[in-house]
Amino acid sequence: MCGIIGIASNKPVSINIINSLKKLEYRGYDSAGLATLTDDNINEKKCSGRVEELEKILFKTPSKGNIGIGHVRWATHGVPNIVNAHPHSSDEVSVVHNGIIENSDEIKRELKSKGLKFKSQTDTEVITLLITEALKENEPLKSVYKTLKKLKGSFALGIIFKDFSNIIIGARRGSPLAVGYSKEENYIGSDSYALKSMTNKISYLDDGELCVLTKDQVSFYDESLKKVNKKIHTMSENESSIDKGEYKHFMQKEIYEQPITIKNCISEYVDSLKKNINIINFPIEPNNINKIVLVGCGTAYNSCLTAKYWFEELTTIDVEIDIASEFRYRKLKFNSKNLYIFVSQSGETADTAAALDLCKKNNVKTCSIVNVIESTIARNSDWVLPIHAGTEIGVASTKAFVGQLTVLYILCLKLAIVRKDINDKTYEKNINNLKKLPEAIKECISNENKIQLMAKEFLSAKGSMFLGRGSSFPIALEGALKLKELSYLHAEGYPAGEMKHGPLALIEEGLPVIILAPKDKYFEKTISNMQEVIARGGKILFITDNKKESINENIRFGFRVPHLDNLLSPILLTLPLQMLAYHVAVLKNCDVDKPRNLAKSVTVE
Ligand code: AGP
């Protein structure tokens, strides 16, 4: 949520700020802005909407200045307009902020009572005014430090000062902040991706830390303002190259990358010859695990829900799952024999990070399944299982979801064999099937044209339903989530067996209903539920891996995914649903990679 960038250089910085903001746009795209220091003045430019608008403004009236900060906003306090766009500047300082200041109303009242005036509706402006006040008696670092003491909430900040024209101060509490280094230039950014075109040398601020950047050096300070040293991480080539290539959208590219990312993921964890799963150093000895608790948000939660069916099927371990925003406020009975697993693509989701912190405070063992290995959640957990999906840019998660499922499945198999919950024969059969997964995914994607036809059925639809049973139920939830976030069409995911308990009332003539019916123990029951929908006029889009089931006249469209085994069917059923959501969004002219009101990394509660 919100992206920030800061560059201290020996040459003009505005063009590089714009380029970095374009990379950060996945974090927020309600408005954009930058501020540079020129001739002892703060030169601010802002727009509502996208970075390309800001670029046009700069093209007409270029910004000079070798020091600058930039921002893309995902609105929290105040509507998305120019006035509320960042940076928020006084005559003395300019601030960009990612996060939320929870006590901003209280501070606002206090500052207003002293006669200070606010221009915007944002929480950020209190930071600008507090620093401006503090600067009357303190130097910049002390002013920022004193200001941070008054703030509650989570944030990452970038600050420049009119009278100290060679420095940028960065600060982090809760929201991530990276620092980049290169010759005669240094940077701060919300993530390393924003800095990639300029450097591959990165450090990360830890919670509570501050940094002071000049073009030649960076100093780091802890929460009591003691100097600290930082490790510098060198990013690999892979981590540095990201573009859309031949694809129209990042989401489409990410769907097509899945055979490769899943192959990479499997080969990271499964020995190619011996069929060993090389997951080691369990934080709790597998035989002593009492319960697995899986926690995530949105799509990551759907992967936890899918994994629950696998753990129940293959192991004797009790499983509990929860949505992170609920988990963090529950009155839980923590148990040191439980393994708490946090699933997150970004590794920065505020609720998931807070749920993890709660576990740490209660001294229980934590594991994270993440895509971004240098993320907060990865760094704060006892044990990390990366999903190796590569950078995911599309706001709608695709390859990361399938990656999360793959890692969860591998973890489940490993626990099952180590605990002897399954025998060697079952284990080997499952590993063999797993290895066939990348090819099966490829086959699904190769039938994209059928999905394009299916997508047309949604153009005049008022809504839609996604139904499945067993492990197809979380995939129904995921399919509905993808469709609504991308095409703004109402979509409900339901366990098919639950329809009679209320949702059947929604079925009317022509309503698209997606039936997920793999050939598993629920197949016949799902078909019965489908008949009930047909009898009430629902338009059926039928997705199965059953070769025998002929697609009859009551089914408007059918799509077959390859059959590997019942355990892996949720992964394969996901592919047509990703493509469906993508094509409905394309047909409806929606912004596929940046759906309205959303952001890739949800760093506020
Ligand atoms: C996925 O399509 C969504 N954009 C969203 O639900 C996402 O999965 C959720 O916000 C969790 O993000 P995370 O995996 O980065 O923690």
Side-chain angles (χ1 to χ4, degrees), residues 361-380:
K361 280 193 195 111
N362 284 279
N363 296 319
V364 289
K365 293 294 179 198
T366 56
C367 164
S368 61
I369 295 182
V370 292
N371 196 26
V372 183
I373 45 171
E374 65 270 27
S375 61
T376 309
I377 291 173
R379 282 182 286 139
N380 287 351

Side-chain angles (χ1 to χ4, degrees), residues 331-462:
K331 209 170 157 194
L332 292 156
K333 319 278 175 295
F334 286 97
N335 183 334
S336 58
K337 285 191 167 177
N338 291 354
L339 178 60
Y340 295 83
I341 303 181
F342 297 86
V343 183
S344 172
Q345 185 286 128
S346 62
E348 300 294 350
T349 300
D351 284 319
T352 314
L356 169 69
D357 284 348
L358 179 68
C359 287
K360 292 190 72 177
K361 280 193 195 111
N362 284 279
N363 296 319
V364 289
K365 293 294 179 198
T366 56
C367 164
S368 61
I369 295 182
V370 292
N371 196 26
V372 183
I373 45 171
E374 65 270 27
S375 61
T376 309
I377 291 173
R379 282 182 286 139
N380 287 351
S381 45
D382 295 311
W383 200 48
V384 186
L385 299 175
I387 63 174
H388 302 287
T391 308
E392 190 179 66
I393 301 292
V395 166
S397 187
T398 51
K399 62 176 182 172
F401 175 64
V402 173
Q404 287 158 2
L405 291 180
T406 307
V407 173
L408 283 161
Y409 183 72
I410 292 171
L411 176 64
C412 178
L413 278 184
K414 178 72 180 183
L415 284 169
I417 190 70
V418 174
R419 290 166 58 97
K420 300 201 168 35
D421 288 336
I422 55 174
N423 59 28
D424 288 352
K425 204 171 144 212
T426 310
Y427 173 77
E428 278 196 23
K429 186 189 86 190
N430 288 331
I431 292 280
N432 285 336
N433 286 331
L434 179 68
K435 288 188 172 169
K436 291 180 197 149
L437 190 60
E439 271 310 304
I441 291 177
K442 204 170 172 181
E443 196 182 321
C444 288
I445 299 172
S446 70
N447 289 320
E448 191 186 8
N449 54 345
K450 292 190 186 147
I451 297 289
Q452 270 170 303
L453 290 177
M454 223 186 229
K456 291 191 181 142
E457 298 293 323
F458 286 77
L459 284 181
S460 55
K462 276 197 276 169

Side-chain angles (χ1 to χ4, degrees), residues 45 427 432 553 579:
K45 300 228 161 75
Y427 173 77
N432 285 336
E553 69 281 7
M579 294 190 287

Side-chain angles (χ1 to χ4, degrees), residues 145 207-210 220-228:
Y145 177 73
D207 228 26
E209 288 183 344
L210 297 107
F220 294 91
Y221 302 87
D222 70 9
E223 349 191 41
S224 46
L225 228 49
K226 259 206 340 253
K227 267 200 167 186
V228 285

